[in-house]
Amino acid sequence: LMVIPTARKTPTSGRLRDRFGSSNHPLSRFKISTAVSLMVGFIFTAFIPFLALSRQTKYDTTTLAAQSFKMYHFASATTGDKKQKGQMQGEASIMPSLQEAKSFDAIFVLGGGVPSSLTNPPEFTKLRCDAAVAVAEIAAGAEEGTAKQEEKDENAMPNIVCLSAGTAHCPQLMGKNGLPIWEATSSAAYILETYGSLIPQQKVMIETTSYDTISNAYFARTTHADVAGWRNILVVTSEFHMDRSKAIFDWVFSAPPVAMSPYRLSYMTTENIGLSEEAIESRKQHERKGAVNVKQNLSKHYTTLYDIWQFLTQNHDFYSASKLVDKAKKAEDDAEQNRDETSSVLKQSYRAK
């Protein structure tokens, strides 16, 4: 940016008058006006690109994309008659190394359905919790039963965050106090009751705002990861649920703005225990349709975190005010006419036995 010096009279300080004499001296006026002009030019040159960048509405999602690292698998330790129908057979666990486990800032355990009691989430959700604890134990430097408790480095354990308030397919489990027992609360209660001697209480956290996998990812990021500065995250869910979950978490955690370095996401599948073959197939069909919608539609249309927020608050059945009102009215009409459009097999798969 070139700025042409002007010859207009410019006030000067005492130091400049001492150096150039009178402020009316031609050399004084020329040098002062030149200095002012160069300063203005520098300011415009430095800040115009910044202002232009700040006005951008499109982001380069390629450079900001969350990096997917590894896919792990956690197999149930049960054998023989204890294996439940619908479980994948013949697969060994693929677990992170000590170094990999220590690198995780947090483990997100996705919710899977309505619990039957405070400490009894669905069996496949319990296995997700078991997997998260197993990784935390690796990070602590010892597997269960191979070292004394005092030898474990609990500070090296990643935080375990249980996700989900509930599901869109079934009513909430209500506590004796008349308040809902969130899915995440039940998962956390299961972990603390089953592994209380292994996992410090402060390492177990919950997210109780989400009602599906998209909101799982959105609120896990905005409530926890963005605020806590977690960058390296392990996402745990069942095999039937992984394809859509990975597509959603990659999308949401890649959406700009990203305050620091890109997120690094790893994934761990768990076996499909606790469900019949018919229920698993019903869930897989439901998941396949959702994955196609995320990959071909949602992730391409809603590219920033603000866009995703708008989608949730304006278009999502559980976060749009008008849709929630309409849904409540329809539920009343359906109850009066004894209608239920949800598949009984699919609906039952979201409940603990």
Side-chain angles (χ1 to χ4, degrees):
L1 179 64
M2 296 297 295
V3 180
I4 306 302
T6 63
R8 66 185 181 84
K9 186 175 180 179
T10 306
T12 60
S13 67
R15 180 176 299 175
L16 288 175
R17 283 197 301 270
D18 291 342
R19 184 170 182 180
F20 297 112
S22 169
S23 62
N24 292 323
H25 191 282
L27 183 60
S28 171
R29 291 199 302 271
F30 176 77
K31 289 193 173 183
I32 294 169
S33 62
T34 300
V36 172
S37 300
L38 289 175
M39 183 178 296
V40 172
F42 171 77
I43 292 173
F44 274 90
T45 302
F47 283 93
I48 282 177
F50 171 78
L51 293 173
L53 181 63
S54 67
R55 292 176 63 84
Q56 285 183 336
T57 57
K58 296 294 182 182
Y59 296 85
D60 181 359
T61 55
T62 302
T63 59
L64 294 174
Q67 303 172 25
S68 291
F69 279 170
K70 284 195 173 183
M71 180 73 73
Y72 304 98
H73 177 69
F74 181 79
S76 171
T78 59
T79 58
D81 295 337
K82 291 184 179 180
K83 277 188 176 289
Q84 301 190 44
K85 195 173 183 180
Q87 180 176 335
M88 294 187 300
Q89 302 291 329
E91 295 201 16
S93 293
I94 304 173
M95 300 297 287
S97 66
L98 172 61
Q99 183 178 1
E100 290 169 337
K102 282 180 176 289
S103 73
F104 296 133
D105 298 311
I107 304 171
F108 290 159
V109 181
L110 275 63
V114 181
S116 61
S117 67
L118 175 61
T119 58
N120 191 38
E123 290 300 314
F124 55 87
T125 304
K126 289 180 182 178
L127 193 58
R128 299 174 190 179
C129 296
D130 296 339
V133 171
V135 175
E137 281 289 282
I138 294 173
E143 296 182 2
E144 182 180 357
T146 62
K148 296 179 180 179
Q149 183 70 21
E150 58 268 20
E151 294 176 350
K152 299 177 182 179
D153 182 8
E154 294 180 349
N155 291 327
M157 286 185 176
N159 300 284
I160 298 176
V161 185
C162 303
L163 307 181
S164 188
T167 174
H169 302 282
C170 299
Q172 299 290 103
L173 173 68
M174 303 302 290
K176 293 182 179 180
N177 58 0
L179 298 176
I181 297 176
W182 310 117
E183 288 183 17
T185 304
S186 179
S187 296
Y190 168 77
I191 291 174
L192 293 174
E193 180 179 83
T194 308
Y195 302 105
S197 62
L198 304 176
I199 304 296
Q201 185 173 329
Q202 66 271 19
K203 287 290 183 178
V204 181
M205 305 177 186
I206 59 173
E207 173 279 310
T208 56
T209 313
S210 59
Y211 284 90
D212 68 352
T213 311
I214 294 176
S215 51
N216 278 169
Y218 179 82
F219 290 109
R221 176 179 170 179
T222 58
T223 304
H224 288 287
D226 279 358
V227 179
W230 298 337
R231 314 314 292 172
N232 195 6
I233 297 167
L234 177 65
V235 180
V236 181
T237 193
S238 302
E239 178 270 339
F240 68 77
H241 189 225
M242 179 53 75
D243 185 45
R244 185 169 70 96
S245 297
K246 185 178 184 304
I248 288 171
F249 273 79
D250 284 350
W251 161 43
V252 172
F253 277 75
S254 294
V258 177
M260 296 177 282
S261 59
Y263 286 102
R264 294 175 294 171
L265 303 180
S266 297
Y267 295 90
M268 175 174 281
T269 57
T270 58
E271 295 175 295
N272 299 328
I273 67 171
L275 294 172
S276 67
E277 292 180 2
E278 183 183 13
I280 291 175
E281 184 55 36
S282 179
R283 289 292 286 265
K284 285 184 174 180
Q285 290 179 6
H286 175 74
E287 294 297 323
R288 279 195 290 267
K289 292 179 182 178
V292 170
N293 186 39
V294 171
K295 294 174 182 178
Q296 298 183 3
N297 178 28
L298 296 179
S299 63
K300 297 183 183 300
H301 188 71
Y302 303 99
T303 58
T304 70
L305 202 60
Y306 178 80
D307 292 339
I308 298 171
W309 171 79
Q310 280 200 312
F311 163 72
L312 289 173
T313 56
Q314 301 301 317
N315 303 106
H316 196 286
D317 287 346
F318 268 78
Y319 299 98
S320 162
S322 61
K323 286 182 176 293
L324 281 169
V325 171
D326 292 342
K327 189 178 182 69
K329 290 179 178 178
K330 184 176 183 303
E332 291 180 350
D333 293 340
D334 289 348
E336 291 177 0
Q337 300 180 35
N338 196 28
R339 289 198 310 256
D340 188 351
E341 298 177 358
T342 306
S343 161
S344 59
V345 174
L346 178 64
K347 190 171 184 178
Q348 189 59 40
S349 72
Y350 284 91
R351 287 188 175 278
K353 296 179 179 179

